Amino acid sequence: MGIKHRLITTDEFPTWRTLVRRAFNGHVHPEDTERLRDDRAELDRLFAAFDDEQIVGTGGTDSHLLTLPGGSKVRAAGIAYVCTIATHRRRGVLNGTMTALLEQAREREEPAAALWASESAIYSRFGFGMGTIAEDWEIDSAFSRFAHGPETPGRVRFKTHEEALQLMPGVWERAASGRPGFVDRSESRWRYFFFDDERVRGDWSGLFHVAYEEDGEVQGYAAYRLMQVNPDEDDVLKMDVVECVTVTDAAHAALWRFLFDVDLVRGVTAHSRPPDDPVWWMLADPRQLERKLADGLWVRLLDPAKALSARTYSATDRLVIEVADSFLPDAGGTFVLDGSTEGADCKRTAESPDITLGASELGAIYLGGVRLSDLSRSGRVQEHTGGALRRLDRMFPADQAPWCPHHF
Ligand SMILES: CC(C)(COP(=O)(O)OP(=O)(O)OC[C@H]1O[C@@H](n2cnc3c(N)ncnc32)[C@H](O)[C@@H]1OP(=O)(O)O)[C@@H](O)C(=O)NCCC(=O)NCCS
């Protein structure tokens, strides 16, 4: 009998959860299964692949709103919980799971889908492209002096976990309205992602929270953990910055200065920072900041006409774009895009294309952080009308590099 994909029932949720954890080489604590069910997962968006009665693959979706260049938001299916059990790998289970997830998203008229990839070789074939670039940082605090930076008239203050959970969403919302790539976080998802128990943090300390306040207003926050570097020396620590989100340059400068200056901490790491983060430009000795590039949020358009109409463009132009979509052929086709800084209109057309690109390439440029001409130089785009690439390069970039600090 073949593999069948369908939504799971409530009763199947604990088994489904166990398999997801096992695929990522972890075990499940019953409380965490309840937390996931109550605070994060949407039960009507969780699929499994069944071999007879046995679950052999999983996948699910967190519904999200994704910020686009220009500040508008589009509904996006946040694909997560993807796995195939070890006994059933490389037999097309993920293919079926992805088909089920994307079909449901299209039924719900979500114009886009997005995900974080465990391995960067998996998702291009499903039409996802690298929509944001993320940087992992490491620096020795002793070499973190700033030579430049804005005035920081406000103050950094410690907050309790409860206080932080109250103030962080407001800062996040403001940041999300101006930065492509941000997704929304519901109140329960704040609870879920900042759950601070030994089970999730391992040998790291509990979270420390700080916020930058100016004129009575919170303009940024940071959450970090500490760990002893050497079990014999309890006063030599390293720091991991879990999240730092700000809405002003002053808040950004003050919080990073604070983080780099915490006494007794030698090394600081941070993850998924945006490539245009100004810390690099503020350091007296920028080379001390080790910056490791990685793929960030992978983006896929499910309804290109709707998705491309939802954002603004940095130059006024009209181009005909052919999208070759091998995984969802009917989502591809030829589209005419008429865009400007004010808005855009994109619809299907019978006109001949100025350019042909794949769904994965379209997903990569959608948030405005990747230049189509760079993808073209890597052999991934065909230009039919001379100059079309350059014109799209002028239209698509966002004012700020797209950044998604939310891992799901
Ligand atoms: C990644 C994973 C879900 C793949 O599942 P699977 O059922 O074996 O995948 P499929 O057999 O459906 O493969 C679909 C396609 O993806 C390719 N593929 C699958 N896993 C891949 C990998 N890790 N790297 C590169 N390609 C991969 C297959 O070769 C196949 O390509 P094809 O259609 O050109 O033949 C599975 O290996 C797994 O559970 N890994 C551990 C958990 C994990 O990393 N999940 C992803 C979270 S983002």
Side-chain angles (χ1 to χ4, degrees):
M1 202 175 149
I3 306 289
K4 294 237 164 45
H5 289 77
R6 65 161 168 81
L7 288 167
I8 60 164
T9 63
T10 311
D11 290 347
E12 287 161 345
F13 180 72
T15 311
W16 179 94
R17 173 64 175 156
T18 303
L19 296 185
V20 176
R21 290 299 301 139
R22 193 183 292 154
F24 288 96
N25 301 316
H27 286 294
V28 171
H29 191 284
E31 254 179 52
D32 290 335
T33 300
E34 283 170 28
R35 267 189 336 106
L36 181 72
R37 187 195 58 207
D38 297 344
D39 286 348
R40 177 178 167 193
E42 296 166 50
L43 278 175
D44 58 354
R45 304 207 75 170
L46 306 182
F47 285 87
F50 290 83
D51 185 356
D52 288 327
E53 296 302 304
Q54 189 200 359
I55 297 182
V56 296
T58 61
T61 303
D62 292 346
S63 306
H64 275 301
L65 288 172
L66 172 68
T67 307
L68 304 180
S72 60
K73 294 180 184 178
V74 80
R75 289 191 303 124
I79 307 290
Y81 323 106
V82 168
C83 81
T84 297
I85 66 170
T87 51
H88 283 66
R89 289 208 178 132
R90 306 303 178 264
R91 288 162 52 181
V93 173
L94 170 60
N95 253 307
T97 305
M98 193 54 77
T99 302
L101 292 168
L102 297 185
E103 257 175 24
Q104 189 197 46
R106 291 177 84 194
E107 277 161 18
R108 293 180 174 220
E109 298 183 356
E110 288 166 322
L115 57 79
W116 285 90
S118 62
E119 292 175 77
S120 57
I122 305 176
Y123 292 102
S124 301
R125 64 174 50 70
F126 300 117
F128 288 83
M130 245 182 253
T132 74
I133 308 293
E135 286 189 11
D136 287 346
W137 287 357
E138 186 161 1
I139 191 165
D140 181 337
S141 326
F143 300 100
S144 68
R145 190 173 70 77
F146 287 161
H148 313 277
E151 293 291 309
T152 54
R155 300 185 59 175
V156 174
R157 294 179 191 279
F158 278 100
K159 299 289 172 183
T160 64
H161 192 67
E162 290 67 31
E163 286 168 339
L165 280 177
Q166 290 293 316
L167 68 85
M168 290 190 290
V171 176
W172 181 277
E173 269 306 305
R174 288 170 66 195
S177 64
R179 174 76 89 153
F182 258 73
V183 295
D184 61 319
R185 259 191 203 149
S186 64
E187 194 185 326
S188 63
R189 285 187 182 150
W190 276 100
R191 260 198 316 274
Y192 183 83
F193 285 98
F194 279 87
F195 180 70
D196 194 23
D197 185 272
E198 278 170 11
R199 288 200 302 283
V200 294
R201 65 183 192 234
D203 294 334
W204 287 95
S205 72
L207 284 169
F208 292 89
H209 295 278
V210 284
Y212 175 82
E213 297 169 356
E214 198 179 307
D215 297 331
E217 183 188 66
V218 178
Q219 297 183 349
Y221 66 81
Y224 63 92
R225 300 184 190 282
L226 299 171
M227 193 197 278
Q228 261 177 249
V229 174
N230 178 338
D232 302 327
E233 292 179 288
D234 58 5
D235 55 359
V236 184
L237 302 166
K238 61 181 176 180
M239 171 190 288
D240 189 50
V241 180
V242 172
E243 194 161 285
C244 179
V245 174
T246 55
V247 291
T248 62
D249 290 341
H252 174 272
L255 283 167
W256 281 104
R257 189 65 270 146
F258 172 88
L259 294 166
F260 290 155
D261 283 346
V262 171
D263 286 333
L264 308 178
V265 171
R266 295 271 169 85
V268 177
T269 50
H271 310 279
S272 293
R273 298 303 305 168
D276 60 353
D277 195 300
V279 159
W280 167 261
W281 300 104
M282 286 154 60
L283 287 164
D285 188 356
R287 203 186 293 166
Q288 298 295 334
L289 181 70
E290 285 179 39
R291 303 166 67 184
K292 195 170 146 220
L293 277 192
D295 49 306
L297 191 71
W298 288 73
V299 177
R300 191 213 204 282
L301 303 195
L302 299 168
D303 182 343
K306 205 166 169 182
L308 292 170
S309 298
R311 54 160 290 185
T312 61
Y313 296 84
S314 50
T316 303
D317 210 337
R318 179 186 187 281
L319 279 129
V320 179
I321 303 169
E322 182 183 35
V323 183
D325 193 328
S326 53
F327 191 65
L328 296 176
D330 62 323
T334 307
F335 301 86
V336 55
L337 169 64
D338 220 328
S340 74
T341 52
E342 300 301 310
D345 181 40
C346 181
K347 49 182 177 283
R348 288 187 181 273
T349 181
E351 292 175 58
S352 36
D354 297 308
I355 204 150
T356 301
L357 71 171
S360 168
E361 287 67 45
L362 185 61
I365 63 170
Y366 182 53
L367 296 176
V370 176
R371 269 161 37 111
L372 192 60
S373 55
D374 292 340
L375 299 181
S376 172
R377 296 211 318 269
S378 60
R380 298 170 57 162
V381 181
Q382 287 164 271
E383 187 184 50
H384 309 296
T385 306
L389 258 177
R390 212 163 10 92
R391 285 162 61 197
L392 282 168
D393 273 355
R394 280 202 294 262
M395 281 183 88
F396 270 73
D399 290 347
Q400 298 185 74
W403 177 38
C404 183
H406 178 72
H407 278 243
F408 53 87

